[in-house]
Amino acid sequence: MVQLEKVSKSFPQAPRLLDGVDISVPTGCRWGLIGPGASGKSVLLKLVAGLLRPDAGRVILAGRDMTAATEDEQNEVRTRVGMLFQNYALFDFMTVAENVAFPLVRRGGVARDEIDARVADRLRAVGLAGSEAKRPSELSGGMKRRLGIARATITQPEVVIYDEPTAGLDPVTTSKVYDLLQADHEATGGTVLAVSSDVAALRSFVSRIAFIYQGKLRYDGPVEHIEEAEDPVVRQFVRGGMEGPI
Amino acid sequence: MTELVERVGAQALGMVEAARGLTNVLVRTLARTFRRRRGEPGEVLRQMFEVGNRSLVFIAVTLGFLGMVLVFQSSLQVSRITGDPSPIGPQFFKILVHEFGPTLTAQMLATRVGAGIAAEIGSMVVTEQVDALRMCGVDPIEYLVVPRFIACMVMTVALTIFAVVVAFFAGALTAKLSFGVNPATFINFAEAKVGDVLTGLTKCIAYGAAIPVVSGYCGLTAGRGSEGVGSATTRAVIGSSFTVIVLDFILSSVGYFVFQGGA
Amino acid sequence: MPVKTIAGTLGSTIVGLCRETGGMTVLLWRVLRALVPPTLDWRELLRNLHKMGNKSVPIVVLTAVFTGGIMVIQSGVFVRRFGATGLVGWGAGYAVFREVGPILIGLMFSGRVGANNTAELGTMTVTEQLDGLRALAIDPVRFLIVPRVVAMITMLFCLTVIGDLVAVIGAVVVAQALLGVSPWTFYWSMIEHLHPVDFTNGLIKALAFGFAIALSSCHFGITVRGGAVGVGRAVNNAVVAAAVSIFLLDFFLTYILR
């Protein structure tokens, strides 16, 4: 369960990037976020993960108030959360297998051979079997992203956050990635937050979708109804039209 | 005029902010060092190897030349004033042990190791690997700074001992070749007392603790892109060097009062 | 897969050393050629002077104050033992002007301005701005590097002068506070035993150090490879090379200038 209550965030070069945003994602829901470039989507995900602190408002992640928590308490929550970063953020000083195993090793309480088995399993699921000993620098962009997904999901977390899971991928690979995300979600039943600039593909995956523009949420509801949204900005963006407020 | 005041004010605020961040890192590093759960001893050893391996030749060369210069200068002065070279060796060793050995080794390490730490950690910040570490429930200070902290303190002591040996024998060579001083006269450790050794050791540990903390802080606060990493590296070298000098002043004063009988 | 033997590592280190030294010599040649006749961009020169001076004066001044104090503390033992309060000024002054001043100020300058310079040039190389200049038929050496080299040498010279004087102030304060040596005694001690040549020798060293730092930082800046990590590595290498050069030059100059 993920909640944002009147969250605001400003940067020196982007004042009022997020302005009193309210979000409520129920447990088990697949929630998507779309919006124009530089509208604060990645920043919002980082606020959810507690990597950034909001200037105002509260963030509740997996039932815990992240805004009031210390770094140690936040770390404890994060062991139950997985995140795929926009630029993968893979550990370049570790091998592929070590990257995937890392969250599980840090969480503790799992035997070494169990860890190895689960790592092998994950790598097979994302199509990277056989690359265990490689370094991230030796992988292609698509492979790096799949490695990122494997690392984000190895602990079967309660909440998974995907920042641009299919950016720059061809349509076939895109649909394969979403098949994978769907299979993962059905297996674990956790909550999923996904940001994507590929609106069409994202719509096929999520059940609820939100649109952010100029610091505020202009739509947050079932994905089927977004095209008939009252807000003309939302309609223009979703339909990809050239004329309109944007 | 107001612009000048603004600038000075902004600088001062920046320094206060930096001081706060630095103290934060120092406190957390110390706390984590003593509270290490599931520590990876391999990492500390790896860092020690990094520090030592990359610095051995560098320190040998710089401190070797320094030893030669210092002995040359002091022999020159002595030959002009008293003409008796016998106190040079022992006095040189004494000052090497409690001042130039630790301080100049640390200055060299601040350059080599400080820049390295800031560059490594800074690159990780810029590529969001530090964020990824936090997402895996890892405290970046515990994982990145603490191993380097322990390793650097140990290696500063080790490398200083090495440096003192190199500098002393380089000095002995210079004394023999340029002024005909008998090595047997030069190589005399009598002047180095317990106080000198203690002062020198304390300095080594203080410097070895300061360099990774300052450089780690600069790395962790790196800005975006390659400029961010470059800037972090620069700040680390300067910050570490300056901290070493200030610590030198403080510890030298303390050493003087404690071991020389006070003011 | 290259074989990692001791001979191999030693060999590659030596090759690397030759490559960097060679690179710096080539750069030196190009810089000297551009200086005769002096065809540099005066605006760039002024801009660099301003920037480098701005960045380094505070840190050099602070370093110098503490260094002067440390030299007095070190000589404190002798003074107490031999009662030679009349020699404190001479001892501290000699050490600071001839050796410790130029070396420590040089190291600080290298760490501050040299590293910054390498980072800037490195970033420009990585973002292909140098190639961009060449495409506009502008010689990067003449336009970018020569002003920086001249600015760095000039700046280090001035900073050493300022630093030496400030170090003396620090020494005077500590001498009074710690050893009870009055500023007058200190002053007369300096005047009596020190010669102008002690001061100027240090400045000659400063010029040489400035040259070394400038060449090192520019060379490593423009030969950067590999993005953000490469820039960090270049800064590291530049500062190390400058430090080694400083100590090497110090040794030779001390011998020559005695």
Side-chain angles (χ1 to χ4, degrees):
Chain A
M1 132 77 125
V2 177
Q3 243 175 310
L4 267 70
E5 291 172 12
K6 301 225 174 326
V7 164
S8 295
K9 184 74 183 165
S10 291
F11 291 99
Q13 64 270 32
R16 308 251 299 277
L17 184 68
L18 295 176
D19 193 2
V21 172
D22 285 294
I23 293 174
S24 182
V25 182
T27 314
C29 172
R30 295 207 280 246
W31 183 86
L33 179 65
I34 55 175
S39 51
K41 305 193 291 294
S42 290
V43 168
L44 202 142
L45 290 185
K46 287 196 176 175
L47 284 168
V48 168
L51 295 171
L52 293 172
R53 287 202 186 261
D55 297 332
R58 284 205 318 164
V59 173
I60 302 187
L61 175 64
R64 189 59 178 271
D65 186 345
M66 294 294 266
T67 4
T70 65
E71 184 75 12
D72 280 339
E73 289 164 347
Q74 287 189 348
N75 274 345
E76 195 281 322
V77 175
R78 290 190 197 118
T79 56
R80 296 179 275 134
V81 175
M83 181 157 178
L84 169 70
F85 287 83
Q86 197 170 24
N87 295 307
Y88 327 124
L90 301 171
F91 301 130
D92 47 27
F93 51 93
M94 294 183 195
T95 64
V96 164
E98 285 166 351
N99 258 282
V100 180
F102 191 72
L104 214 51
V105 169
R106 291 309 294 196
R107 201 172 68 161
V110 185
R112 186 72 232 183
D113 25 333
E114 161 97 20
I115 292 180
D116 292 337
R118 282 167 72 165
V119 166
D121 192 54
R122 269 286 90 191
L123 286 176
R124 214 172 331 158
V126 302
L128 283 174
S131 305
E132 281 88 351
K134 291 200 184 147
R135 297 259 153 179
S137 52
E138 301 171 49
L139 303 178
S140 72
M143 292 165 87
K144 284 185 193 170
R145 185 164 296 121
R146 284 184 272 148
L147 176 56
I149 293 175
R151 188 179 69 183
T153 51
I154 180 105
T155 56
Q156 292 176 328
E158 294 167 27
V159 179
V160 191
I161 304 173
Y162 296 111
D163 194 352
E164 298 286 357
T166 58
L169 296 181
D170 62 82
V172 172
T173 319
T174 300
S175 101
K176 280 191 189 165
V177 167
Y178 276 118
D179 285 342
L180 173 62
L181 299 190
Q182 185 148 343
D184 279 342
H185 183 234
E186 278 161 14
T188 60
T191 315
V192 174
L193 278 71
V195 156
S196 181
S197 12
D198 185 348
V199 179
L202 186 66
R203 281 170 69 178
S204 63
F205 172 64
V206 300
S207 56
R208 287 172 58 96
I209 197 162
F211 174 77
I212 185 169
Y213 182 66
Q214 289 181 346
K216 294 200 185 304
L217 277 192
R218 300 296 196 114
Y219 179 85
D220 185 5
V223 66
E224 305 84 35
H225 300 314
I226 190 167
E227 281 198 26
E228 293 94 41
E230 288 166 15
D231 196 323
V233 170
V234 178
R235 288 206 305 274
Q236 183 201 352
F237 185 82
V238 170
R239 292 183 193 154
M242 287 292 285
E243 299 118 27
I246 299 181
Chain B
M1 187 63 202
T2 41
E3 197 197 287
L4 184 66
V5 173
E6 256 177 40
R7 267 200 352 187
V8 172
Q11 288 261 39
L13 278 176
M15 277 177 19
V16 169
E17 183 60 45
R20 238 180 23 149
L22 208 58
T23 325
N24 184 318
V25 171
L26 176 63
V27 168
R28 281 165 70 182
T29 306
L30 287 172
R32 291 291 181 193
T33 310
F34 295 115
R35 254 199 334 137
R36 297 198 76 204
R37 32 144 218 175
R38 289 194 309 247
E40 291 165 58
E43 181 64 18
V44 174
L45 284 172
R46 198 173 72 86
Q47 289 300 330
M48 282 170 57
F49 182 72
E50 282 281 311
V51 172
N53 194 34
R54 295 164 68 185
S55 323
L56 220 55
V57 175
F58 177 51
I59 293 202
V61 170
T62 46
L63 273 271
F65 278 112
L66 180 79
M68 294 198 268
V69 168
L70 287 176
V71 169
F72 192 82
Q73 286 282 25
S74 41
S75 304
L76 208 61
Q77 289 305 305
V78 165
S79 66
R80 283 181 191 157
I81 297 183
T82 65
D84 171 24
S86 55
I88 298 181
Q91 291 296 346
F92 179 57
F93 186 71
K94 181 187 174 73
I95 208 172
L96 211 54
V97 164
H98 84 249
E99 174 60 33
F100 286 119
T103 307
L104 275 141
T105 307
Q107 284 288 358
M108 295 300 104
L109 285 179
T111 316
R112 186 74 154 149
V113 173
I117 292 179
E120 267 174 33
I121 297 185
S123 307
M124 285 182 76
V125 168
V126 162
T127 51
E128 295 184 310
Q129 287 178 56
V130 172
D131 277 342
L133 278 176
R134 291 166 75 192
M135 284 313 294
C136 296
V138 171
D139 180 357
I141 302 249
E142 183 194 324
Y143 193 76
L144 294 174
V145 178
V146 170
R148 291 171 169 83
F149 180 72
I150 300 175
C152 209
M153 281 195 287
V154 173
M155 287 317 279
T156 307
V157 174
L159 286 170
T160 302
I161 296 175
F162 172 70
V164 167
V165 170
V166 170
F168 189 64
F169 283 107
L173 197 68
T174 311
K176 171 91 179 111
L177 291 179
S178 296
F179 300 92
V181 177
N182 188 353
T185 320
F186 194 89
I187 301 178
N188 175 351
F189 305 128
E191 283 294 331
K193 306 283 193 284
V194 174
D196 299 312
V197 175
L198 275 177
T199 312
L201 207 60
T202 314
K203 285 184 182 179
C204 284
I205 296 179
Y207 300 154
I211 293 173
V213 168
V214 172
S215 310
Y217 169 74
C218 293
L220 287 171
T221 52
R224 316 224 75 211
S226 48
E227 294 157 354
V229 177
S231 155
T233 315
T234 316
R235 284 186 292 137
V237 171
I238 277 299
S240 314
S241 303
F242 186 65
T243 309
V244 168
I245 295 211
V246 173
L247 285 173
D248 185 18
F249 183 73
I250 296 173
L251 292 173
S252 293
S253 313
V254 170
Y256 180 77
F257 282 121
V258 170
F259 296 112
Q260 258 55 260
Chain C
M1 209 41 212
V3 180
K4 287 206 161 197
T5 61
I6 302 224
T9 324
L10 195 68
S12 69
T13 315
I14 294 182
V15 168
L17 218 77
C18 292
R19 184 181 55 219
E20 304 301 350
T21 323
M24 280 192 260
T25 318
V26 169
L27 189 63
L28 174 64
W29 173 245
R30 289 172 74 181
V31 167
L32 288 175
R33 230 183 30 194
L35 282 174
V36 174
T39 50
L40 41 111
D41 190 317
W42 295 102
R43 241 188 347 215
E44 269 293 301
L45 177 62
L46 248 76
R47 198 176 67 84
N48 274 305
L49 277 173
H50 182 249
K51 181 179 61 176
M52 291 173 186
N54 233 12
K55 278 192 180 359
S56 40
V57 169
I59 192 80
V60 165
V61 165
L62 282 172
T63 304
V65 168
F66 284 109
T67 306
I70 292 171
M71 286 298 110
V72 167
I73 295 176
Q74 295 309 324
S75 63
V77 184
F78 297 108
V79 171
R80 287 188 145 261
R81 185 185 295 201
F82 301 115
T85 50
L87 289 178
V88 175
W90 167 73
Y94 188 83
V96 166
F97 290 157
R98 280 216 175 221
E99 293 298 336
V100 184
I103 292 183
L104 271 172
I105 294 174
L107 287 175
M108 278 293 156
F109 189 77
S110 160
R112 188 69 156 143
V113 175
N116 215 20
N117 190 47
T118 309
E120 257 183 43
L121 287 174
T123 308
M124 288 174 85
T125 310
V126 162
T127 51
E128 295 179 324
Q129 289 179 48
L130 291 191
D131 287 335
L133 278 176
R134 278 198 205 97
L136 291 170
I138 298 177
D139 177 13
V141 172
R142 233 170 259 262
F143 181 70
L144 277 179
I145 305 220
V146 172
R148 281 159 200 259
V149 170
V150 174
M152 282 202 257
I153 298 176
T154 317
M155 256 301 121
L156 183 56
F157 184 83
C158 299
L159 284 170
T160 309
V161 173
I162 298 175
D164 277 350
L165 297 174
V166 173
V168 168
I169 295 176
V172 166
V173 170
V174 175
Q176 170 73 77
L178 220 68
L179 303 174
V181 173
S182 81
W184 271 127
T185 318
F186 195 98
Y187 178 69
W188 281 117
S189 165
M190 276 181 63
I191 298 290
E192 178 124 1
H193 298 288
L194 288 179
H195 312 286
V197 72
D198 294 317
F199 190 64
T200 53
N201 270 353
L203 293 184
I204 295 176
K205 287 185 179 177
L207 283 174
F209 295 165
F211 229 117
I213 295 170
L215 278 179
S216 163
S217 82
C218 289
H219 166 74
F220 283 102
I222 55 179
T223 53
V224 168
R225 225 155 283 124
V229 178
V231 173
R233 217 179 300 133
V235 171
N236 204 340
N237 289 338
V239 178
V240 167
V244 173
S245 315
I246 287 178
F247 280 99
L248 258 158
L249 285 170
D250 184 54
F251 176 69
F252 286 116
L253 287 173
T254 305
Y255 189 73
I256 294 173
L257 292 172
R258 68 182 178 282

